[in-house]
C-alpha cells in the first residue's frame, strides 16, 4: 500500500510541476524570434482547462496522501489556470465592445434563428457538434491576366437542414505573406459558422515571392467580385459579404475593406465593379507595418548594425517536423526561403528609413475613412508579431470616423491563438463567440436569394 501511495505521489508531483512550469509561459511577453517558446505558450493557453483539472486532481492527491507540497502546487496550478480562463473569456472593454459599436440593444437585431446556433456563453468545455456540411475544394475563382495561373478556394455551405443566412465570409489564411495555404487549422471554425447558415470562401491568394503585396490585395478583390457574381448560386446576398482573416490574412482583409473605391488598389479587369464589403474581421492582423517591423525585431534580424551581428533567425523547421508533415511541408511553402518569411525589406525593397512609402501605403491605418466597413479587431495582449498598441490606435481612428468597431484584446494570449486545438481552446472560443455575433449583425434585413440547385 505504501508503494502505491509513493508512486501516486511521484506521478502527481511530476505532472503538477510540469504544468506549473507551463504556466510560467503565460506570464511572458515573448519577442520574435522565439518560435519554440511561442508554440509552447499557445499550447499552454489552449490546454488551460485540462491543466486546471490537473491542479484540482493534485489537490485531491495531496490531501488524501498527506502531502502538503502536492496540495500547494496543485492549488497554484488550479487557481492560475482558472484565473487565465476567466480573464480570456471576459467580454471586450465597454469602451470598445459591441454596445459602443452597435448600441445598447444590439442583440435584439439578431434573429432567433442565428442565436440558436451561437455559443451559449464565452466559457465552454468544447465546441458543440454541428450538422454535416458541404465543402467544395479547389474551385478556380480567377485567372491572373495574361497567364495561366489560376487562383483557388474552398467553399463551405450549410447543409439542407440549415436555413441560409445570406451572408458570405471570405477568409484569408495567415501566411507571413509567404507561407501556408488555405484549409490550415480552420475547419472547426468554418464548420461552426456554416452551421449558422453562412457561406465561407477560404481563399488561397498568391504569396511572395510569386507576387508582391499589391498582387495579394488584388487577389482578395478578385475573390470578392467572384462571390458577388456567384451570389445567387450560393444563396448569398451580394450586399452581405464580409472579408476577414488571421495575421497576414487579417492585414489583407483590412486593406481590402478600406480601399474598395481606391483605384490604386484595384486590378484593371475589376475597374467599375463593386468591390465593397459590409464588414471586416481581423484576427491579430498587423495595422501599421513600420511599427510591426520594429515590433518583430526586423531591424536586428534583417540587417547588421555597426558593432553587432544580425540576430539569428530560424532558417528551417526541425528535421523530425519536416518528416511528420510529409507533403504538407511543400504545400505550406516551408521549402522556400524560410529566413525571409514575414520580412519587409525583401518585400518592399528596403527598410523603413530607406523607403517609408510602401510601409505607409500598405498599412491599414493609413486608409481609415468615414465609409470604412464595420470592423472587429481581435488580438492577444502578448502578440509577438502584431503590435497591440497599433491595433488600439486603429480602433481609435475608426471610432473617430464613426465606423462601428469592436476591439477585443485577450490577456496572456499570443499570436495565432485560435489555430491551436480550437475545439477545446478557451481563447479560440472567445474569438468565435465575438465573430459569430459580429457576422450576425451584418446580415441585411432583406429577402435572401435561394441557392441554385
Amino acid at each position: 500500500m505504501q508503494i502505491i501511495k509513493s508512486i501516486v505521489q511521484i506521478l502527481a508531483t511530476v505532472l503538477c510541476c510540469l504544468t506549473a512550469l507551463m504556466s510560467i509561459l503565460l506570464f511572458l511577453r515573448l519577442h520574435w524570434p522565439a518560435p519554440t517558446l511561442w508554440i509552447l505558450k499557445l499550447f499552454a493557453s489552449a490546454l488551460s482547462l485540462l491543466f486546471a483539472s490537473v491542479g484540482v486532481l493534485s489537490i485531491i492527491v495531496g490531501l488524501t496522501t498527506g502531502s502538503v507540497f502536492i496540495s500547494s502546487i496543485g492549488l497554484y496550478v488550479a487557481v492560475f489556470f482558472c484565473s487565465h480562463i476567466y480573464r480570456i473569456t471576459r467580454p471586450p472593454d465597454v469602451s470598445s465592445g459591441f454596445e459602443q459599436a452597435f448600441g445598447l440593444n444590439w442583440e435584439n437585431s439578431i434573429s432567433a434563428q442565428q442565436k440558436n446556433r451561437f455559443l451559449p456563453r464565452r466559457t465552454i468545455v468544447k465546441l458543440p457538434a454541428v450538422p454535416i456540411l458541404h465543402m467544395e475544394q479547389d474551385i478556380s475563382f480567377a485567372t491572373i491576366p495574361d497567364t495561366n495561373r489560376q487562383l483557388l478556394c474552398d467553399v463551405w455551405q450549410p447543409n439542407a437542414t440549415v436555413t441560409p443566412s445570406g451572408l458570405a465570409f471570405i477568409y484569408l489564411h495567415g501566411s507571413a505573406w509567404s507561407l501556408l495555404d488555405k484549409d490550415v487549422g480552420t475547419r472547426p471554425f468554418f464548420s461552426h459558422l456554416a452551421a449558422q447558415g453562412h457561406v465561407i470562401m477560404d481563399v488561397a491568394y498568391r504569396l511572395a515571392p510569386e507576387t508582391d503585396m499589391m498582387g495579394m490585395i488584388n487577389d482578395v478583390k478578385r475573390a470578392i467580385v467572384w462571390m458577388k457574381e456567384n451570389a445567387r448560386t450560393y444563396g448569398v446576398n451580394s450586399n452581405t459579404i464580409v472579408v476577414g482573416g488571421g495575421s497576414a490574412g487579417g492585414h489583407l482583409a483590412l486593406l481590402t475593406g478600406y480601399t474598395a473605391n481606391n483605384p490604386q488598389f484595384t486590378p484593371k479587369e475589376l475597374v467599375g465593379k463593386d468591390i465593397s464589403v459590409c464588414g471586416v474581421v481581423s484576427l491579430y492582423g498587423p495595422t501599421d507595418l513600420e511599427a510591426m517591423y520594429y515590433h518583430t525585431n526586423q531591424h536586428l534580424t534583417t540587417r547588421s548594425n555597426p558593432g553587432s551581428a544580425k540576430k539569428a533567425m530560424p532558417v528551417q523547421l526541425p528535421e523530425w517536423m519536416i518528416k511528420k508533415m510529409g507533403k504538407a511541408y511543400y504545400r505550406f511553402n516551408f521549402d522556400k526561403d524560410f529566413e525571409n518569411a514575414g520580412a519587409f525589406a525583401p518585400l518592399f525593397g528596403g527598410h523603413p528609413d530607406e523607403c517609408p512609402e510602401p510601409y505607409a501605403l500598405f498599412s491599414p491605418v493609413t486608409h481609415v475613412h468615414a465609409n470604412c466597413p464595420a470592423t472587429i479587431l481581435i488580438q492577444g495582449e502578448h502578440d509577438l508579431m502584431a503590435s497591440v498598441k497599433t491595433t488600439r490606435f486603429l480602433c481609435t481612428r475608426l471610432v473617430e470616423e464613426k465606423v462601428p468597431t469592436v476591439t477585443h484584446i485577450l490577456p496572456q494570449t499570443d499570436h495565432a491563438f485560435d489555430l491551436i486545438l480550437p475545439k477545446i481552446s478557451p481563447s479560440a472560443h472567445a474569438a468565435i463567440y465575438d465573430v459569430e455575433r459580429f457576422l450576425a449583425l451584418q446580415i441585411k434585413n432583406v429577402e435572401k436569394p435561394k441557392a441554385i440547385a
Side-chain angles (χ1 to χ4, degrees), residues 311-383:
K311 195 170 183 177
M313 280 284 290
V315 296
Q316 183 177 301
L317 295 177
E319 200 64 38
W320 66 267
M321 191 177 292
I322 295 175
K323 291 181 179 178
K324 187 173 182 62
M325 292 180 68
K327 293 181 180 179
Y329 175 76
Y330 301 96
R331 180 169 83 87
F332 297 161
N333 295 288
F334 287 147
D335 58 322
K336 294 197 306 188
D337 187 1
F338 198 79
E339 185 176 7
N340 284 329
F344 291 139
L347 192 60
F348 294 147
H351 303 275
D353 57 319
E354 299 168 338
C355 54
E357 295 82 7
Y359 288 83
L361 179 66
F362 293 108
S363 293
V365 71
T366 303
H367 302 280
V368 172
H369 54 86
N371 294 319
C372 284
T375 300
I376 184 167
L377 307 166
I378 303 175
Q379 188 169 346
E381 183 185 27
H382 291 177
D383 198 307

Side-chain angles (χ1 to χ4, degrees), residues 52 67 119 170 184-185 201 234 326 358 369 376:
S67 173
L119 296 182
I170 298 175
V184 179
M201 181 182 181
Y234 293 104
H369 54 86
I376 184 167

Side-chain angles (χ1 to χ4, degrees), residues 202-214:
D202 188 13
V203 175
Y205 54 93
R206 289 174 297 162
L207 303 168
E210 180 185 359
T211 191
D212 56 15
M213 197 165 282
M214 187 65 79

Side-chain angles (χ1 to χ4, degrees), residues 142-151 206 210 219 222 269:
T143 301
I144 303 301
D146 303 319
T147 74
N148 294 321
R149 173 65 158 93
Q150 291 187 325
L151 300 176
R206 289 174 297 162
E210 180 185 359
D219 289 353
R222 293 179 176 111
E269 78 273 17

Side-chain angles (χ1 to χ4, degrees), residues 140-438:
S140 175
F141 68 87
T143 301
I144 303 301
D146 303 319
T147 74
N148 294 321
R149 173 65 158 93
Q150 291 187 325
L151 300 176
L152 303 179
C153 69
D154 298 340
V155 176
W156 292 68
Q157 299 176 71
N159 70 11
T161 65
V162 178
T163 303
S165 69
L167 180 142
F169 180 39
I170 298 175
Y171 182 86
L172 313 169
H173 64 85
S175 63
W177 300 278
S178 59
L179 303 171
L180 298 179
D181 194 6
K182 60 181 173 60
D183 192 24
V184 179
T186 50
R187 291 196 175 195
F189 181 39
F190 294 164
S191 298
H192 185 75
L193 295 181
Q196 296 175 21
H198 307 321
V199 171
I200 294 92
M201 181 182 181
D202 188 13
V203 175
Y205 54 93
R206 289 174 297 162
L207 303 168
E210 180 185 359
T211 191
D212 56 15
M213 197 165 282
M214 187 65 79
M216 299 178 208
I217 297 165
N218 288 346
D219 289 353
V220 181
K221 297 200 171 191
R222 293 179 176 111
I224 293 170
V225 170
W226 181 87
M227 179 53 73
K228 286 179 179 283
E229 292 178 343
N230 290 274
R232 185 168 177 80
T233 301
Y234 293 104
V236 167
N237 177 356
S238 61
N239 294 318
T240 312
I241 293 177
V242 175
V243 64
S247 192
H251 161 261
L252 295 175
L254 290 166
L255 264 179
T256 302
Y258 297 172
T259 62
N261 298 314
N262 187 331
Q264 186 176 8
F265 288 84
T266 303
K268 292 180 180 179
E269 78 273 17
L270 299 186
V271 171
K273 294 183 179 291
D274 180 12
I275 316 176
S276 64
V277 294
C278 66
V280 178
V281 175
S282 173
L283 295 162
Y284 41 86
T287 62
D288 182 323
L289 298 191
E290 182 177 351
M292 182 181 178
Y293 172 90
Y294 292 105
H295 183 72
T296 53
N297 288 319
Q298 293 186 38
H299 58 300
L300 303 176
T301 60
T302 62
R303 70 196 309 184
S304 297
N305 295 305
S308 62
K310 286 200 305 183
K311 195 170 183 177
M313 280 284 290
V315 296
Q316 183 177 301
L317 295 177
E319 200 64 38
W320 66 267
M321 191 177 292
I322 295 175
K323 291 181 179 178
K324 187 173 182 62
M325 292 180 68
K327 293 181 180 179
Y329 175 76
Y330 301 96
R331 180 169 83 87
F332 297 161
N333 295 288
F334 287 147
D335 58 322
K336 294 197 306 188
D337 187 1
F338 198 79
E339 185 176 7
N340 284 329
F344 291 139
L347 192 60
F348 294 147
H351 303 275
D353 57 319
E354 299 168 338
C355 54
E357 295 82 7
Y359 288 83
L361 179 66
F362 293 108
S363 293
V365 71
T366 303
H367 302 280
V368 172
H369 54 86
N371 294 319
C372 284
T375 300
I376 184 167
L377 307 166
I378 303 175
Q379 188 169 346
E381 183 185 27
H382 291 177
D383 198 307
L384 84 168
M385 295 292 184
S387 166
V388 172
K389 181 179 179 180
T390 60
T391 298
R392 288 193 170 110
F393 181 68
L394 175 62
C395 174
T396 299
R397 287 286 297 112
L398 290 166
V399 171
E400 288 174 349
E401 295 291 345
K402 296 181 169 47
V403 177
T405 306
V406 176
T407 300
H408 195 178
I409 306 300
L410 305 182
Q412 297 180 324
T413 306
D414 218 315
H415 199 76
F417 63 86
D418 60 317
L419 299 178
I420 303 298
L421 305 176
K423 288 187 177 181
I424 62 171
S425 167
S427 54
H429 299 165
I432 292 172
Y433 185 99
D434 287 333
V435 170
E436 66 184 359
R437 282 155 175 78
F438 177 83

